[in-house]
Amino acid sequence: EAGVAQSPRYKIIEKRQSVAFWCNPISGHATLYWYQQILGQGPKLLIQFQNNGVVDDSQLPKDRFSAERLKGVDSTLKIQPAKLEDSAVYLCASSEVRNNEQFFGPGTRLTVL
Amino acid sequence: QKEVEQNSGPLSVPEGAIASLNCTYSDRGSQSFFWYRQYSGKSPELIMSIYSNGDKEDGRFTAQLNKASQYVSLLIRDSQPSDSATYLCAVKTSYDKVIFGPGTSLSVIP
């Protein structure tokens, strides 16, 4: 069974530029999560989808972050414009609807200069 | 009060000893609890989930849940250097949100 795929693995941008991350969940997993993890901290949920609907985006900075999950499968997370404090690892995870046992992708390490 | 709390560590144990990792949570209605392991530079991987009071064992790992005390722990028996990692506690709250704790760093000394 293929795991959660993410790309790119690394990205370096300058502040005020835009960036997009892509995630493809495990086949059959209806729930998809995007997390931000800053070094030394636990993952912080940015947005949770179930199929193509948003379940929770209460911690998503909506003035600069956006996410979509068209067709209820893969998803993109965008930051525009980026700030220095957005430097972090962005993790995508997926789970079945019946439980919250999440499987994580390898993450994207973003550096904003 | 933070929703999910863990001792940040680092916790150091000698090889072969029992490592005990602790987690407390604030939402009394929480029903599902998870332990993840995260190696440096890697993403979290699920070790165990527990839903009922008591102990759940899987190999060298035992998760313990006490809902009355709002406390969940992870015991690692016969600790190995390969167990050195950060251990994340995650809790599904009564309002259907999964909250991660800050993690406890474990170092197993050969």
Side-chain angles (χ1 to χ4, degrees):
Chain A
E1 180 183 80
V4 177
Q6 286 189 250
S7 67
R9 294 292 310 277
Y10 306 91
K11 192 73 177 179
I12 301 174
I13 61 173
E14 306 226 335
K15 59 183 180 183
R16 291 188 290 273
Q17 287 188 322
S18 63
V19 63
F21 312 126
W22 174 82
C23 172
N24 192 43
I26 291 172
S27 179
H29 281 192
T31 308
L32 184 148
Y33 315 77
W34 282 104
Y35 291 92
Q36 180 192 61
Q37 187 174 29
I38 293 171
L39 189 65
Q41 299 181 17
K44 170 188 158 186
L45 180 69
L46 293 175
I47 189 165
Q48 177 181 341
F49 293 95
Q50 185 165 312
N51 296 309
N52 59 351
V54 175
V55 173
D56 182 358
D57 64 356
S58 57
Q59 298 191 92
L60 186 74
K62 297 181 184 64
D63 57 335
R64 297 185 302 106
F65 286 62
S66 64
E68 61 182 11
R69 190 182 185 196
L70 301 176
K71 301 180 182 177
V73 181
D74 57 351
S75 175
T76 56
L77 175 69
K78 296 179 182 177
I79 308 175
Q80 182 180 9
K83 293 185 175 181
L84 296 176
E85 59 261 36
D86 298 331
S87 293
V89 176
Y90 291 84
L91 295 164
C92 179
S94 69
S95 72
E96 296 180 2
V97 173
R98 64 183 177 89
N99 63 43
N100 289 95
E101 295 180 354
Q102 299 180 33
F103 295 86
F104 286 81
T108 297
R109 184 174 301 275
L110 174 67
T111 302
V112 182
L113 302 175
Chain B
Q1 181 187 12
K2 293 184 179 178
E3 294 182 270
V4 179
E5 298 195 58
Q6 298 180 251
N7 292 331
S8 61
L11 173 66
S12 292
V13 300
E15 183 174 355
I18 296 175
S20 178
L21 303 157
N22 304 317
C23 173
T24 58
Y25 58 94
S26 60
D27 178 16
R28 185 169 289 277
S30 298
Q31 292 295 323
S32 306
F33 307 87
F34 310 91
W35 283 101
Y36 290 82
R37 177 176 61 200
Q38 187 172 26
Y39 291 114
S40 180
K42 302 294 185 182
S43 57
E45 60 175 319
L46 180 67
I47 300 175
M48 294 188 69
S49 55
I50 186 166
Y51 305 96
S52 304
N53 276 331
D55 295 359
K56 179 180 178 181
E57 187 174 318
D58 184 0
R60 296 187 295 113
F61 298 95
T62 299
Q64 300 175 318
L65 175 61
N66 184 328
K67 291 183 180 179
S69 300
Q70 295 175 238
Y71 174 90
V72 58
S73 66
L74 180 70
L75 301 178
I76 307 174
R77 290 184 301 281
D78 187 24
S79 294
Q80 300 298 309
S82 58
D83 295 325
S84 298
T86 296
Y87 289 80
L88 297 163
C89 171
V91 176
K92 181 181 177 182
T93 65
S94 59
Y95 43 99
D96 278 341
K97 181 179 287 190
V98 176
I99 308 292
F100 279 81
T104 298
S105 175
L106 172 66
S107 179
V108 180
I109 311 302

